[in-house]
Amino acid sequence: MNEQIPAIQSAAIAQIASIADERTLDEVRVAVLGKKGTLTLAAAGIKDVPQEEKAAFGQLLNAARTAITAALEEKQSALRDAADHAALAGIDVTLPARPLAIGTLHPLTQIRDEAIGILRRMGFALADGPEIEDEFHCFDALNTPADHPARNEKDTFYFDSGKLLRTHTSSVQIRTMESQSPPVRIIAPGSAYRRDEIDATHLSVFNQLEGLYVATDVSLPDLKGTLEYFFHELFGPDTGVRFRPHFFPFTEPSFEIDVKLHIKGQAPRWIEVAGCGMVDPAVFEAVNASRNDRAYDPDKTTGFAFGMGLDRLAMIRWGIKDIRLLIENDTRFLKQFA
Ligand code: PHE
C-alpha cells in the first residue's frame, strides 16, 4: 500500500511534465484525481490499512494530492503563457499605426455653439420646446389668425391628430412665458419645418435660434443694439447688418435683418438671416389667459423677440453657396470645417 501512493504520484508528475496541450492535461487530471482516478481509487484502500498505519497512509495521500495538483496548475499556466506568446509572435509592434479618422463638428453645430456662446454672455439662458407642436403654441397664442397663410395646409406639415411640425421656434416663446414669470431672457435653438420648395436657400427642415427678452422698459434700441452686437461678434465688427421694416403677427413693430454675404468671385449681396420685433401685447394677453393670471400685463411689460436661421448664418460665415450641402454629409465638404 505505502508504495502504491508514491508510485502513482511520481507517474502522474512525470506524465504531466511531458504534456504539451491543455486538453491532455485535463484528461490526466481526470485519470488521476477524478472520481474513478488512480489516486482516488487508491485512497479508497484506506479501509484495509491497519489502524496504526492509517495516519501515515493519510499523510502520504495528502502529500500526493497536493504535489499532483501543484504540478497540474504549474503546467496549465505554462501552457497558457506559451499560447499567448505564440499569438503575439506574429505582431510587429514596430509597424506604423493605422491612422484613426477623427470626426469634426458639423458647421451648423459650430455656428450654433458660437451663437449660443455670444448670447449667453449677454445673459440669455437656454430654453426648449417640442418639435411636434399644437396650433395654440405655434399660431393662436402668437396672434396668428386661422386664415394666415403660414397655417395653410400647403405650407405646414400637419398630422391627422391636428398637431403639426413647428414652423418656427417662436412656439418656445409661449411655452417659456407660460411656465416662467418676467423677467425672462431666453434663447431656444432648434429645428423648424416648412413645406418649402427645396432650392439653394430653402430646405423643408432648417435650424432656427429663437430669442425672447421680456421685462419692464425693454425698448426697440435694446433690440437693435443686442442684435447688431450679436452679428458683429459673430461675423466681425465691419459686417454689414440692416433692419428692414416687415410684418409678423406676434411683434409690432417688426423687422427682418439682412447681413451682407461675401462669396469669393461673386458680388456681395444682402441675405435675410432673422426676423425680430417688439412683442405684440396680444401675445402677452394670450399668455395671461393661458396662465390664468396677469403676470404679463401689457401695461407694465415689454419685450423683444427674434428668430434667426442658423443655416443661413453658416452660409454667410463660410461663403457656402447652397444650403443643401449642409445636409448631404459629404465628407469632402465637411472636412473643410475641421
Ligand atoms: N418666427 C419668425 C420666422 O420664423 C421669426 C421671428 C421670431 C420674428 C421672433 C419675430 C420675432 O420667420
Side-chain angles (χ1 to χ4, degrees), residues 167-170 173 192 194 206 208 210-211 248 250-251 254-256 272 274-277 304-308:
T167 55
H168 52 186
T169 45
S170 298
Q173 291 184 33
R194 284 178 206 171
F206 57 105
Q208 283 194 327
E210 192 78 14
F248 294 105
F250 35 91
T251 46
S254 304
F255 304 88
E256 276 190 338
E272 174 211 327
C276 64
F304 67 72
F306 58 87
M308 52 182 97

Side-chain angles (χ1 to χ4, degrees), residues 5-85:
I5 306 285
I8 291 173
Q9 176 179 342
S10 50
I13 285 175
Q15 203 179 0
I16 290 165
S18 70
I19 287 172
D21 64 286
E22 282 201 63
R23 213 174 120 188
T24 314
L25 190 67
D26 207 52
E27 282 166 13
V28 170
R29 180 200 325 278
V30 174
V32 179
L33 301 178
K35 243 191 248 165
K36 291 186 182 142
T38 48
L39 193 69
T40 315
L41 293 179
I46 194 163
K47 62 182 189 308
D48 303 322
V49 172
Q51 189 59 37
E52 63 279 12
E53 289 175 27
K54 273 199 204 299
F57 183 87
Q59 272 174 9
L60 270 182
L61 202 58
N62 278 338
R65 192 176 284 122
T66 310
I68 294 169
T69 306
L72 283 166
E73 279 170 7
E74 201 181 310
K75 188 67 179 187
Q76 183 171 47
S77 79
L79 287 175
R80 292 207 172 148
D81 281 355
D84 286 351
H85 252 91

